[in-house]
Amino acid sequence: MGSRAKSAAVFRRAKELMPGGVNSPARAFGGVGGEPIVFASGKGAHLTDLDGNRYIDYIGSWGPMILGHTHPRVVAAIGEAVARGTSFGAPTAAENELAELIIAAVPSVEMVRLVNSGTEATMSAIRLARGFTGREVIIKFAGNYHGHVDSLLVAAGSSAATLGVPNSPGVTAGTGKDTLVLQYNDAPGLEAAFAAHGDRIAAVIVEPVVGNMGTVIPNPAFLAALRGLTQRHGAVLIFDEVMTGFRVAFGGAQQVLGVKPDLTTMGKIVGGGLPLAAYGGRADIMRHVLPAGKVFQAGTLSGNPVATAAGIATLRELGEHPEIYARLETISARLADGLTHAATAAGLSHSITRVGSMMTLFFAPAPVVDWPTASHADTARYGRYFWGLIDRGVYMPCSQFEALFVSAAHSDEDIEQTIAAAAAVFQSPEFTAA
Ligand code: KE4
């Protein structure tokens, strides 16, 4: 791996222009130390930085790039759309097309609204749940991240957990007072909350498979409690599938888990790497959204022609080629197996949690099932793992509390190179000596 002098120079200037030199804290390397790498381009499963260094990319823009960077069908669709105009602030037929693709892919979604980010999708979904039920309390779970919505920036995951600010300054006590934070996978805790507050609870919002404390899988009792208690108490069950939607299966985590939520939020893949997200679900709830109903939500660029074109091309490619998910399963299982073997051979206390092509290698003493167990992970060791792989041309998530993503563009060689690089890191003096 060569010099990163050009990257460092650009980042030095960036810090004078933008807070922390980044436009999102997740990419600030706060969880691994050192400075972010500045990239010039991506192609397939690879990124190239300003200094010409090439990496196998397992961040994939934090999830959207399931087809890999610059997929020809997506690039062509964007080019054709942009030539017809970038935004009209008026309906286009493409919005129907994308809405139809989403509704066909996710059976619990009968009606959908397109927005510009996952944060907008979750913010809108909880406002809608409150408007629909006339209730105020929202339940979320520690280590789950739903974007930077004031009322959900409580015990948040992702970069909030990475940078140790799960409760952000600026979120008022008044805003947070109607948010109950429980432990993930704690069915008794959820039952107790409903026993105490049942008829005040507007919604439960949950990552059905967590990505934002690292990858964590729900246990059957917790899943049953989520669906059963919300049903019994008339609360809205919101699956935040911004990350898992179209990722762990074409129908999302709800297809894998066999649980139908009332509302689903989507993002990342649904926009094909452009700023587009969505929320949708039961038509009787969605019809409360303005102008059909009275719950306000709006957006200048919502459903704009270029982002919808990228989303349509991506969902069509995935829908027309279900074999993509079979390949993702095969190469992701191989990667997980290879990483486990390398870590075991090095005598490292670790665990891997994987659902399809998203997974996390935890340097943690016990299996990770919730935020308390995730927070015991050895983040310093993860940082040495991250940088050891960077030096060997592999770009893993820059935090122990994030998921890695495999794309359809990752080759068998990429996977084997990654496994070999990890084995070399685990045996290297700089990793073992610390
Ligand atoms: P955005 O507002 O960043 O598009 O989406 C927020 C969001 C909502 N729900 C879930 C389950 C999410 O994972 C996210 C965003 N994920 C992070 C990475 N874990 C985005 C990276 C970043 O913040 O830069």
Side-chain angles (χ1 to χ4, degrees):
M1 194 50 60
S3 148
R4 285 195 288 271
K6 288 179 184 169
S7 213
V10 167
F11 186 66
R12 203 164 28 251
R13 177 65 179 139
K15 284 189 288 188
E16 297 163 0
L17 300 167
M18 297 165 278
V22 293
N23 286 303
S24 186
R27 58 187 85 153
F29 281 25
V32 293
E35 293 198 332
I37 299 169
V38 181
F39 288 101
S41 63
K43 187 156 189 58
H46 301 96
L47 290 175
T48 301
D49 69 17
L50 286 186
D51 298 276
N53 299 304
R54 191 167 176 266
Y55 307 83
I56 304 170
D57 178 20
Y58 287 99
I59 293 186
S61 182
W62 301 102
M65 310 321 293
I66 193 169
L67 297 177
H69 297 284
T70 63
H71 186 282
R73 183 172 188 174
V74 178
V75 172
I78 292 169
E80 286 154 26
V82 81
R84 296 193 296 269
T86 53
S87 181
F88 310 135
T92 64
E95 291 154 85
N96 292 21
E97 198 172 339
L98 183 53
E100 282 172 342
L101 285 167
I102 294 168
I103 290 165
V106 189
S108 69
V109 176
E110 298 168 342
M111 191 170 259
V112 67
R113 168 63 63 88
L114 304 179
V115 293
N116 301 282
S117 72
T119 295
E120 245 194 291
T122 58
M123 173 177 66
S124 309
I126 59 173
R127 182 183 311 130
L128 172 57
R130 285 172 158 155
F132 173 71
T133 60
R135 302 176 182 179
E136 294 172 356
V137 174
I138 298 288
I139 288 178
K140 76 164 298 259
F141 300 92
N144 280 211
Y145 175 69
H146 305 290
H148 60 95
V149 189
D150 273 12
S151 56
L152 297 178
L153 267 184
V154 185
S158 185
S159 51
T162 299
L163 299 168
V165 281
N167 303 319
S168 169
V171 175
T172 62
T175 304
K177 73 175 174 49
D178 290 328
T179 305
L180 272 183
V181 183
L182 305 180
Q183 287 303 341
Y184 196 82
N185 273 327
D186 177 9
L190 187 57
E191 279 157 34
F194 269 94
H197 310 281
D199 58 359
R200 294 181 53 231
I201 298 171
V204 174
I205 185 166
V206 64
E207 290 188 62
V209 169
V210 186
N212 287 296
M213 52 175 138
T215 307
V216 174
I217 297 172
N219 67 46
F222 181 61
L223 266 182
L226 283 168
R227 186 61 286 183
L229 289 165
T230 48
Q231 210 117 38
R232 205 173 313 147
H233 291 270
V236 175
L237 176 59
I238 303 170
F239 270 11
D240 180 356
E241 296 225 42
V242 166
M243 186 183 288
T244 54
F246 309 99
R247 165 61 61 181
V248 297
F250 192 51
Q254 54 196 273
Q255 174 185 320
V256 174
L257 301 170
V259 174
K260 276 182 84 169
D262 301 307
L263 293 178
T264 299
T265 55
M266 293 156 276
K268 299 181 191 278
I269 291 171
V270 75
L274 267 67
L276 184 145
Y279 65 100
R282 284 169 36 195
D284 66 310
I285 300 177
M286 289 301 291
R287 285 204 175 91
H288 285 257
V289 178
L290 204 73
K294 296 190 176 355
V295 176
F296 189 82
Q297 185 265 308
T300 302
L301 297 174
S302 295
N304 81 74
V306 183
T308 47
I312 290 165
T314 300
L315 293 201
R316 274 188 179 166
E317 184 68 15
L318 292 168
E320 291 164 11
H321 299 283
E323 69 276 11
I324 287 174
Y325 288 98
R327 170 150 176 81
L328 284 172
E329 179 57 29
T330 302
I331 60 177
S332 302
R334 171 61 192 139
L335 178 62
D337 180 60
L339 292 175
T340 290
H341 183 77
T344 305
L348 296 171
S349 171
H350 75 285
S351 65
I352 284 200
T353 308
R354 177 180 75 84
V355 180
S357 58
M358 68 183 267
M359 72 183 88
T360 301
L361 170 63
F362 290 101
F363 293 110
V368 176
V369 296
D370 54 20
W371 177 243
T373 46
S375 63
H376 291 150
D378 183 339
T379 52
R381 173 165 285 184
Y382 185 89
R384 293 193 297 280
Y385 161 73
F386 173 82
W387 283 109
L389 284 177
I390 286 287
D391 291 341
R392 293 167 176 82
V394 178
Y395 188 54
M396 282 293 178
C398 47
S399 165
Q400 171 68 100
F401 305 120
E402 295 285 359
L404 75 81
F405 300 103
V406 183
S407 84
H410 282 77
S411 68
D412 293 343
E413 293 69 34
D414 291 325
I415 301 297
E416 295 310 318
Q417 185 183 327
T418 304
I419 294 166
V425 169
F426 293 152
Q427 301 292 343
S428 65
E430 64 274 12
F431 183 83
T432 49

